[in-house]
Amino acid sequence: MLHLVGETINANRAYRRARTGALIQLVRGIYVESGSDVEAVVLGHAVRIARYLYPNAYLSSASAILLGPVPDGRLFISGRRNQRTRLRTLEIIQNTAPQHSSTASAVIGDGLGELRVDVSSPRQRFLEAFRLRSEHASAITPEMRSRMATRLVEEYGSPQAASDSVWALARQNGWYREGERAERFLQQQSGMATVPANKAALDLLVSWHGELLGHLAHDGFEWRWKPRRRGGPTLLRETTPGKLPPFIESLLPEGWLAQVLDGRDEREVLRGGRRYMSNIAIARSREELAALPADILLIPLAEFFEAGRFTGRYAGPERGNIEETFERKLGRLFARAETPRLSGVQIKVPMSLLADGAVVPAVDQPFTHILKPAGTAGFETLPVVEWLCLELGRACGFEVPAAALIEMPDGMPPALLVERFDIRHGVEDQRRFALEDFCSILDLPASAKYDGTIERIARGLRPLSTDPNLDLNTLFRRAVFAWLIGDGDMHLKNLAILKMAEAGAKAFTSVRFAPLYDAVTTRVFPRLAGDRMALKLNGKDDRLRRRDFLMLARTIGLPGTEAEIGLADLTTRLSRRTRTLDLPEFVQGWGTADTMRDRVIDIVRERSAALTETLSEQELSRSNP
């Protein structure tokens, strides 16, 4: 057992135990238990010891690759000066770091747990391999050089592009000879080697509809996707070496759930959960995968639905007697790995609708429905507003999942229950579904979900869709609809494509624009009265006019006549539906629900009228040249 003063033991206790012979002091501040295998303890905690002694240094050379010492016990680091420290069979060798170091973060696992350390980046460690008269360079074997070359070529696309990137770092640090030798090696040789063992390494199995897709591995520094040879459609792709496949990244929790999971990194999230949207399961073994329930819709919401109200029985977490405990009770559900993880900032709970009408947390049950509880701080009516917007979308002819408002216990505000549209319908249904949002399609992180444009979405949609003309029309109509209802949250993760493969198909049979989901009039909520469009179109996110939408249509290749028809149809349908739109009876009179309904209708009518006026003005100008 290793002890570090100030980290695992205090100085006085360490001193007293060393006086009694219970501890053996190696150097100041570092002790091991008497009677333990000192050599094994030191080598097993080499990186932790080095970080303790040299907190400002980072792993370099072969140690940045192995994430530990080389077989003869040398651990290579770079820091402020050249120096050596020997602890039994461990020798820590530090050289002077370059003026412009390029480092990255890695995770190391040892007997005391996991720790994050800085390591030379792939570019820098490759240059370190070619340093002249350097012990650091001599520790890097030919196999390591080959593996590093392959890694760089994969990342940058070609040996020349990799050379250019390495040269940029070499010039910054005056490593010209190293740059020349590295370039020659990249042009002449590449290879592959096995990733060394690391206790922090992960090897996860990824399945889709119960079928194994491949291995998702993390060596403590970066991710590797290893697809399994199979005859089905390709769902996952590694676009950037070392990064999570975009499809997997798009499934990771955000917002509230990310906080519930303690804001852990993607490694911890994937290690702690097993079930995700799009029928994806991720686990350590085939046995864990086999134990998970299949997400199949057996009881549709329509069987327990009347006039917008859920007529079944809510059997999920309750608030109880103490205020603010509801979210904590929801959070406890996600402590279990079997509870499906969901993306999105809003609080969402995976649920299952049973044959007796009970809707229960989808822990040991199929994940068939999503519960969206009310928010706080002015967002108590968020489920009500979303239900209204889904009803407006249904009236406009969009494909919309079944949804109902549900009466919650303990006087809580109504919640929204939405049926999943990306799962099988019945045990006889052998189709396979996958929902991929546009952050994944465009290979963007969730943090960039507001950075796109409708035009960029169209460019990503066209080559993937099995009916691009119809889907581009739908995209156009969705953009108009978002503007008309004042939806300022139609970002890249709230737009997606739904992929479907028939049983036995080797490719996706259908790839279409996904149904409408997460549509909300954001302008009715506190501090959002001036909310703009989440994604720009024609370079604008506010004060949109008819000409902006017609320019959008022209840019994405939608015929002008179709755009004109779409504009007229949407304004007409919305104006008609606002005259009959009302809340379910049990919601009427609750809190500010009626006020919110009126404000949503006012926004829709105002914007529909403005767009209708511009349509009329244009028709008048054409008739009177």
Side-chain angles (χ1 to χ4, degrees):
M1 179 69 176
L2 180 74
H3 292 285
L4 303 174
V5 171
E7 291 189 8
T8 64
I9 193 171
N10 65 51
N12 290 335
R13 188 163 185 266
Y15 175 76
R16 290 196 301 270
R17 293 195 64 195
R19 287 284 301 270
T20 63
L23 295 182
I24 300 172
Q25 185 177 25
L26 300 180
V27 294
R28 185 175 181 179
I30 301 179
Y31 298 81
V32 295
E33 295 280 350
S34 178
S36 60
D37 186 339
V38 178
E39 310 298 341
V41 171
V42 169
L43 289 176
H45 298 82
V47 176
R48 191 177 295 272
I49 290 171
R51 191 186 70 164
Y52 181 81
L53 295 174
Y54 307 107
N56 297 318
Y58 56 86
L59 293 183
S60 56
S61 179
S63 294
I65 301 169
L66 299 173
L67 300 180
V70 297
D72 63 9
R74 290 178 296 166
L75 183 76
F76 295 94
I77 63 176
S78 295
R80 295 176 179 174
R81 62 180 70 89
N82 293 325
Q83 60 188 52
R84 291 172 180 262
T85 300
R86 181 178 288 278
L87 282 78
R88 302 298 178 98
T89 54
L90 171 66
E91 186 175 18
I92 303 172
I93 304 171
Q94 178 175 266
N95 70 355
T96 305
Q99 184 176 2
H100 301 284
S101 297
S102 174
T103 61
S105 179
V107 181
I108 309 294
D110 59 19
L112 292 179
E114 294 186 358
L115 68 156
R116 283 196 171 273
V117 296
D118 288 337
V119 302
S120 294
S121 70
R123 291 187 303 155
Q124 179 165 313
R125 75 182 71 145
F126 191 59
L127 286 168
E128 290 169 349
F130 297 98
R131 299 226 67 186
L132 300 176
R133 297 180 296 279
S134 167
E135 189 174 357
H136 278 59
S138 66
I140 297 177
T141 65
E143 292 79 12
M144 290 178 179
R145 288 187 184 185
S146 296
R147 187 177 67 212
M148 287 191 290
T150 300
R151 162 69 175 76
L152 290 169
V153 170
E154 286 181 356
E155 178 175 357
Y156 293 101
S158 69
Q160 186 57 55
S163 297
D164 293 342
S165 179
V166 170
W167 257 113
L169 181 60
R171 291 190 188 94
Q172 280 185 303
N173 292 296
W175 289 1
Y176 298 107
R177 290 185 178 180
E178 291 85 345
E180 290 171 356
R181 298 175 69 194
E183 181 178 30
R184 283 197 298 270
F185 193 92
L186 282 168
Q187 299 296 336
Q188 296 170 3
Q189 181 178 350
S190 65
M192 188 65 72
T194 302
V195 176
N198 171 16
K199 289 185 179 180
L202 295 177
D203 188 5
L204 304 172
L205 301 177
V206 180
S207 73
W208 178 49
H209 286 285
E211 178 188 4
L212 185 63
L213 296 181
H215 290 254
L216 185 63
H218 193 280
D219 61 5
F221 177 66
E222 61 185 5
W223 291 100
R224 285 291 178 189
W225 168 242
K226 306 170 186 176
R228 176 174 176 260
R229 288 189 177 182
R230 46 190 292 278
T234 300
L235 181 61
L236 301 184
R237 65 193 190 282
E238 185 181 61
T239 57
T240 303
K243 301 286 188 180
L244 268 180
F247 187 84
I248 296 294
E249 186 178 0
S250 71
L251 301 176
L252 299 184
E254 305 171 76
W256 174 81
L257 182 52
Q259 293 178 0
V260 167
L261 298 173
D262 298 327
R264 295 177 292 180
D265 63 19
E266 55 197 22
R267 293 175 60 262
E268 289 297 316
V269 171
L270 290 170
R271 184 161 57 183
R274 295 176 188 163
R275 300 168 65 192
Y276 299 86
M277 293 288 288
S278 288
N279 309 285
I280 292 291
I282 302 176
R284 293 173 179 265
S285 67
R286 292 176 181 267
E287 291 74 22
E288 287 182 349
L289 291 175
L292 300 175
D295 293 337
I296 299 175
L297 182 66
L298 300 176
I299 309 298
L301 184 58
E303 294 192 15
F304 297 94
F305 176 88
E306 182 180 347
R309 178 179 185 172
F310 175 64
T311 58
R313 176 172 55 88
Y314 174 75
E318 300 180 2
R319 182 163 60 188
N321 297 325
I322 304 175
E323 203 71 33
E324 286 98 39
T325 61
F326 178 63
E327 289 188 19
R328 287 200 290 271
K329 290 182 178 180
L330 293 183
R332 283 199 289 272
L333 287 175
F334 292 96
R336 296 189 57 179
E338 296 82 4
T339 304
R341 274 44 174 161
L342 299 91
S343 63
V345 175
Q346 184 183 357
I347 298 178
K348 300 174 184 176
V349 189
M351 305 296 282
S352 184
L353 180 57
L354 306 182
D356 63 355
V359 59
V360 301
V363 179
D364 301 314
Q365 300 289 340
F367 173 24
T368 61
H369 293 76
I370 298 173
L371 180 75
K372 298 185 176 184
T376 57
F379 290 86
E380 291 80 3
T381 56
L382 181 58
V384 173
V385 173
E386 184 171 348
W387 180 84
L388 289 169
C389 293
L390 291 179
E391 287 299 302
L392 290 172
R394 212 181 306 276
C396 288
F398 294 117
E399 187 177 354
V400 181
L405 289 169
I406 180 170
E407 193 168 3
M408 297 292 283
D410 301 326
M412 288 189 293
L416 182 66
L417 189 65
V418 182
E419 190 162 275
R420 289 183 61 186
F421 52 77
D422 61 334
I423 56 175
R424 297 170 175 172
H425 289 208
V427 293
E428 302 300 324
D429 189 353
Q430 295 301 306
R431 296 174 298 170
R432 291 164 291 171
F433 295 90
L435 185 70
E436 185 171 12
D437 65 48
F438 275 89
C439 271
S440 172
I441 293 168
L442 301 177
D443 194 12
L444 294 171
S447 58
K449 62 187 179 183
Y450 292 101
D451 295 346
T453 65
I454 302 297
E455 291 86 349
R456 187 177 182 186
I457 290 175
R459 290 196 296 272
L461 174 64
R462 183 184 291 278
L464 299 176
S465 173
T466 50
D467 193 341
N469 292 332
L470 189 55
D471 279 343
L472 287 174
N473 187 299
T474 301
L475 172 62
F476 173 80
R477 291 169 61 91
R478 287 284 298 276
V480 178
F481 177 72
W483 169 250
L484 292 176
I485 68 170
D487 184 355
D489 205 40
M490 191 185 73
H491 50 66
L492 295 177
K493 289 190 70 65
N494 283 341
L495 295 169
I497 58 174
L498 182 62
K499 302 178 178 180
M500 186 273 290
E502 297 286 354
K506 295 183 178 180
F508 285 107
T509 313
S510 170
V511 179
R512 300 297 309 279
F513 204 82
L516 178 71
Y517 64 93
D518 287 357
V520 175
T521 302
T522 55
R523 286 194 167 224
V524 299
F525 294 104
R527 300 181 300 279
L528 296 178
D531 205 21
R532 297 166 177 263
M533 290 278 283
L535 304 173
K536 289 184 178 181
L537 61 90
N538 194 33
K540 298 170 60 177
D541 57 10
D542 199 11
R543 301 181 183 278
L544 298 176
R545 308 292 287 173
R546 173 183 175 277
R547 60 178 173 272
D548 296 308
F549 292 109
L550 293 181
M551 183 59 70
L552 168 66
R554 184 182 304 172
T555 303
I556 67 177
L558 186 69
T561 53
E562 287 190 32
E564 296 272 11
I565 292 172
L567 289 168
D569 182 61
L570 285 171
T571 53
T572 300
R573 286 173 179 254
L574 283 173
S575 297
R576 184 184 304 131
R577 185 67 178 96
T578 56
R579 293 195 290 270
T580 61
L581 182 63
D582 209 346
L583 296 170
E585 187 173 345
F586 84 99
V587 179
Q588 296 176 17
W590 179 89
T592 61
D594 293 334
T595 301
M596 286 297 198
R597 179 193 69 91
D598 294 341
R599 292 175 64 186
V600 170
I601 289 176
D602 288 344
I603 289 173
V604 172
R605 285 176 175 172
E606 177 184 346
R607 293 194 168 189
S608 295
L611 205 56
T612 302
E613 288 175 7
T614 58
L615 286 169
S616 302
E617 291 170 2
Q618 185 68 17
E619 291 171 358
L620 183 62
S621 65
R622 283 202 300 263
S623 61
N624 296 286

